[in-house]
Amino acid sequence: MGMLLTMNESASGTSGCIQQPSRQVLASLPLLVYEYKDAGDATDEQLEPTPVVDHPDSTATAATATKKMLIYSLSERSIVYTTHGRPRPQPQIMMDGNNFCLSTPQGWVLILGQASDAWLWHPLTGETITLPPIQDDHYIPVNCNCLLTHNSAAHPDCAVVLLDVADPLMWFCRVNGGTDRRWGQHTYDIGDCDIPEEFRTSSTPTKNVIPNVAALRGKLHFFFIESNQHKMCIVDLDFPPDHASPPAAEFHEFDVNNLEFPDDLCSGTICLVESMDELFAVCICYVDFDPTNIGAVVIYKMEFCGEKPVAWHRVHGIGEDRAFLLTEMNMATWCSASAHNNLQGNTICFLKKSLVSGDNRDLCIYDIQKQTMEIVQVHNEDLKIVRMPPYWINVPPC
């Protein structure tokens, strides 16, 4: 990421002034990134941008420019960087308030710039891949899940995919192919949003969106619930060589067994993780529908027959050298525990909601074998999370 200033900080806050760079921040992977504002900053009305759609052509709001960034190193167990703007790793990247950055489970970062610019950036090598401009009819929301269809961006069929978190919309583009590349847009339908009327508000969506997704063997995999039955869906992306036919997405549904929570735990969050060509589901189970009260962490692994998903099987470990990293919008990624200090294998790292603010802020490190959980308060309650939930910057092993 170039030469970034390093703060002399602990996990609980800042202890001094900015010092000269002593290391490259991204040598401290995996990194957990928070975009925030201080409690004493301007009011929400002055700071918060409109949370609906920010087209890359639009002028950045003052709110965007004043946001701050805090980066926590999981391997160093400390805050390694903080800034009153976005870090500027290289002149051509310019991760400032005028650009939006979306990290992917595969390690690349998608940057949406002004004038419809879009490109991929690798945080370790500094490599950039310029993508086709996003045309005027493709309005990309700021809040999207983003991933690549292949672990290697050099794969000839690799595509970058964005999924709107509010509406059933997706965008996708081939990473390679030069001038033959173009963006495709697809509106999908996986059923109506089944929320009781008493819990609905004016902003409650009417259609289901893909809640979490993982890329496996060049295809997108996600699950959803229809009539109380869990279903797996595989999405094939097609990029016809004939420009008269637009890029398309084809959905294939499969019936699978339900992911079961332990007795007396009927709510929780489920994340899909692709790791070493395997597909896992991590269920973080709540007590009494309370996300601040975690009752259990349960892991399932998908059994395939060829490329067809067959059934979920509960497992009691993910591997002695694997750690899963989960967040709300970055979906999920993984790393080799032995390649990083202070990190054990067979662990799940995820964020827990704060009882005070309701933000996802405290870092939970769950040991699957011991069934114990360490909770790390990365920062204090004076920070208000803005724009999007915290996300990981991580480069999984090849």
Side-chain angles (χ1 to χ4, degrees):
M1 205 174 189
M3 298 302 290
L4 292 180
L5 295 178
T6 301
M7 295 293 291
N8 180 20
E9 295 173 325
S10 66
S12 59
T14 304
S15 62
C17 59
I18 296 178
Q19 301 179 349
Q20 291 298 316
S22 60
R23 60 187 179 273
Q24 290 186 338
V25 172
L26 288 179
S28 305
L29 292 171
L31 298 175
L32 184 59
V33 181
Y34 294 80
E35 297 186 18
Y36 73 96
K37 73 180 183 69
D38 290 320
D41 285 344
T43 63
D44 290 348
E45 288 76 12
Q46 294 170 311
L47 260 176
E48 295 293 340
T50 304
V52 181
V53 172
D54 283 83
H55 189 268
D57 285 339
S58 64
T59 302
T61 63
T64 303
T66 57
K67 286 187 174 59
K68 303 173 184 178
M69 181 175 285
L70 179 150
I71 303 178
Y72 177 83
S73 167
L74 179 60
S75 59
E76 296 191 19
R77 296 296 184 94
S78 67
I79 294 172
V80 295
Y81 184 69
T82 189
T83 177
H84 284 255
R86 291 180 178 274
R88 298 182 178 182
Q90 297 177 6
Q92 70 267 29
I93 299 299
M94 292 297 291
M95 291 170 62
D96 58 21
N98 295 327
N99 297 332
F100 292 102
C101 305
L102 299 167
S103 65
T104 71
Q106 293 75 26
W108 290 80
V109 178
L110 175 68
I111 301 177
L112 303 176
Q114 292 185 312
S116 299
D117 294 333
W119 64 97
L120 289 169
W121 169 64
H122 197 285
L124 285 186
T125 65
E127 179 185 0
T128 60
I129 301 175
T130 302
L131 298 173
I134 300 174
Q135 303 301 321
D136 292 338
D137 58 342
H138 295 306
Y139 291 91
I140 308 296
V142 172
N143 291 331
C144 279
N145 287 332
C146 183
L147 73 164
L148 303 184
T149 56
H150 292 76
N151 290 328
S152 172
H155 193 286
D157 294 325
C158 183
V160 59
V161 181
L162 297 102
L163 296 157
D164 193 336
V165 301
D167 294 307
L169 295 170
M170 59 187 296
W171 297 262
F172 41 94
C173 174
R174 268 237 175 102
V175 173
N176 305 292
T179 57
D180 191 48
R181 296 173 300 167
R182 55 212 159 113
W183 285 92
Q185 183 179 14
H186 180 75
T187 301
Y188 58 87
D189 188 348
I190 56 173
D192 296 330
C193 189
D194 186 18
I195 297 179
E197 195 63 36
E198 59 268 25
F199 296 109
R200 287 186 171 273
T201 66
S202 58
S203 60
T204 300
T206 58
K207 304 296 292 186
N208 282 330
V209 298
I210 296 175
N212 51 69
V213 63
L216 180 67
R217 304 163 191 162
K219 305 176 188 296
L220 306 182
H221 292 65
F222 70 92
F223 81 93
F224 65 101
I225 300 175
E226 183 179 79
S227 302
N228 295 321
Q229 172 66 42
H230 284 196
K231 293 181 177 291
M232 282 296 300
C233 192
I234 296 180
V235 184
D236 284 311
L237 301 179
D238 181 39
F239 297 89
D242 179 10
H243 276 228
S245 302
E250 186 175 353
F251 285 54
H252 306 275
E253 293 183 13
F254 301 89
D255 291 329
V256 295
N257 56 310
N258 286 2
L259 295 168
E260 300 291 344
F261 285 9
D263 292 341
D264 301 325
L265 299 175
C266 56
S267 67
T269 300
I270 301 175
C271 296
L272 295 186
V273 189
E274 182 279 330
S275 175
M276 300 176 65
D277 210 29
E278 298 175 318
L279 183 63
F280 294 85
V282 179
C283 308
I284 303 169
C285 310
Y286 306 145
V287 176
D288 296 331
F289 299 92
D290 180 3
T292 67
N293 189 354
I294 298 170
V297 178
V298 181
I299 302 101
Y300 287 85
K301 182 179 174 181
M302 175 57 71
E303 176 189 350
F304 286 89
C305 179
E307 294 189 350
K308 178 183 177 181
V310 176
W312 290 110
H313 294 288
R314 184 170 177 179
V315 295
H316 298 281
I318 59 174
E320 294 299 326
D321 192 38
R322 279 194 278 196
F324 287 173
L325 314 174
L326 316 180
T327 59
E328 186 173 325
M329 278 190 62
N330 182 219
M331 293 165 290
T333 183
W334 72 282
C335 66
S336 167
S338 62
H340 304 281
N341 297 325
N342 300 314
L343 191 57
Q344 301 295 320
N346 256 326
T347 55
I348 309 287
C349 303
F350 60 96
L351 296 179
K352 177 183 177 184
K353 284 190 179 294
S354 165
L355 186 62
V356 176
S357 66
D359 291 328
N360 295 313
R361 55 177 68 230
D362 289 342
L363 176 63
C364 300
I365 304 174
Y366 179 74
D367 188 306
I368 301 171
Q369 296 297 322
K370 298 178 181 177
Q371 298 188 26
T372 59
M373 188 161 61
E374 175 189 1
I375 298 179
V376 180
Q377 185 180 3
V378 175
H379 59 80
N380 58 42
E381 293 288 346
D382 290 335
L383 303 185
K384 178 177 176 58
I385 307 300
V386 292
R387 197 176 79 85
M388 64 167 55
Y391 52 90
W392 292 102
I393 293 180
N394 172 65
V395 179
C398 295

